[in-house]
Amino acid sequence: MNELSIVTLGHIHSDAIEPLTPHFSRIEQLVTDLPARVAFADKRAELNRAIDAASSDWILILREREFVDSPLGAEIAGAIAAADAWGFRIRVVPLYAGRPLRLGSDAGELRFFHRRHLLRRGELGVQGTVIRLRNALQARTFDSAEEHRAYLSKTGVPHSVVRRMLLFLRNARTFDGNTLRYLWIEAGFDHGGERASRPQ
């Protein structure tokens, strides 16, 4: 069986990677103090150090609140066995109240790669073929609309009605009710006009 090193940005609970365990003889987790939503290019030195400390050749990068499900875990293991590429882009699907948010297309970013092919500077990349995996990471946002409202009531930034409407319309390109509810609350239309950005 293969080995895998997981570099985490922020805290990742063991449940978030449990679907990987049937496919690997050893899984190593390297926790960094990097902010969960940081752009990789902005912190390449710190990221390179974490990757260099890994004991496995294959590296998976996870951000706080993200988790791997069973189909993605199987696909990651299969990608190593197939040896079709040295890097893999993975999409992230944010979950709101337990359901996916429909916030537009996401090409994904390089999250899974063979470290010997890693390019050391600039944007995270590898020398060789890069493929996008079919399955996506999932990321928890809020477990309920009530939790979302409570968060914004504490951390929200006041905006005018016009500004709130523009924030809503900029992203409201879906007929999915769950996503529209998220955008409506996030824009500040039902909690006193406050709005705050939270990583999705």
Side-chain angles (χ1 to χ4, degrees):
M1 295 179 76
N2 295 308
E3 296 185 354
L4 179 68
S5 292
I6 301 176
V7 174
T8 66
L9 282 63
H11 175 71
I12 298 292
H13 194 272
S14 60
D15 289 349
I17 59 174
E18 193 278 333
L20 290 164
T21 57
H23 306 287
F24 294 92
S25 58
R26 179 174 179 270
I27 296 176
E28 168 188 53
Q29 188 175 160
L30 299 103
V31 181
T32 74
D33 59 1
L34 294 174
R37 308 314 304 173
V38 71
F40 294 149
D42 294 340
K43 297 291 183 181
R44 278 310 303 272
E46 294 90 336
L47 198 57
N48 287 346
R49 283 194 291 271
I51 293 167
D52 289 341
S55 62
S56 305
D57 286 334
W58 285 98
I59 308 291
L60 174 67
I61 298 177
L62 293 181
R63 299 179 188 271
E64 189 169 283
R65 304 180 72 84
E66 295 177 347
F67 62 95
V68 177
D69 64 8
S70 294
L72 179 58
E75 188 177 11
I76 286 172
I80 293 176
D84 290 333
W86 296 117
F88 298 87
R89 300 176 69 84
I90 306 178
R91 295 176 297 113
V92 178
V93 175
L95 299 179
Y96 182 71
R99 294 167 54 194
L101 287 175
R102 309 295 183 188
L103 295 173
S105 60
D106 178 10
E109 62 183 349
L110 184 69
R111 292 295 198 92
F112 175 50
F113 53 88
H114 195 288
R115 68 174 179 168
R116 293 181 187 173
H117 294 260
L118 180 69
L119 299 175
R120 308 296 296 184
R121 297 180 181 176
E123 296 289 336
L124 194 66
V126 296
Q127 185 176 22
T129 303
V130 175
I131 296 174
R132 193 180 82 168
L133 295 182
R134 294 187 306 277
N135 293 289
L137 288 164
Q138 298 182 56
R140 296 180 178 89
T141 57
F142 299 96
D143 291 334
S144 66
E146 291 71 25
E147 181 185 328
H148 189 184
R149 293 186 188 99
Y151 174 82
L152 292 176
S153 69
K154 296 177 181 178
T155 62
V157 177
H159 290 303
S160 69
V161 173
V162 173
R163 173 66 173 160
R164 281 181 276 148
M165 184 58 71
L166 290 173
L167 289 168
F168 175 76
L169 293 175
R170 183 181 65 186
N171 296 299
R173 301 173 183 174
T174 177
F175 293 104
D176 178 68
N178 190 54
T179 302
L180 290 173
R181 179 176 60 168
Y182 166 83
L183 293 172
W184 188 255
I185 295 172
E186 185 71 4
F189 280 109
D190 70 349
H191 61 283
E194 293 183 332
R195 179 186 182 277
S197 295
R198 175 171 177 163
Q200 298 168 5

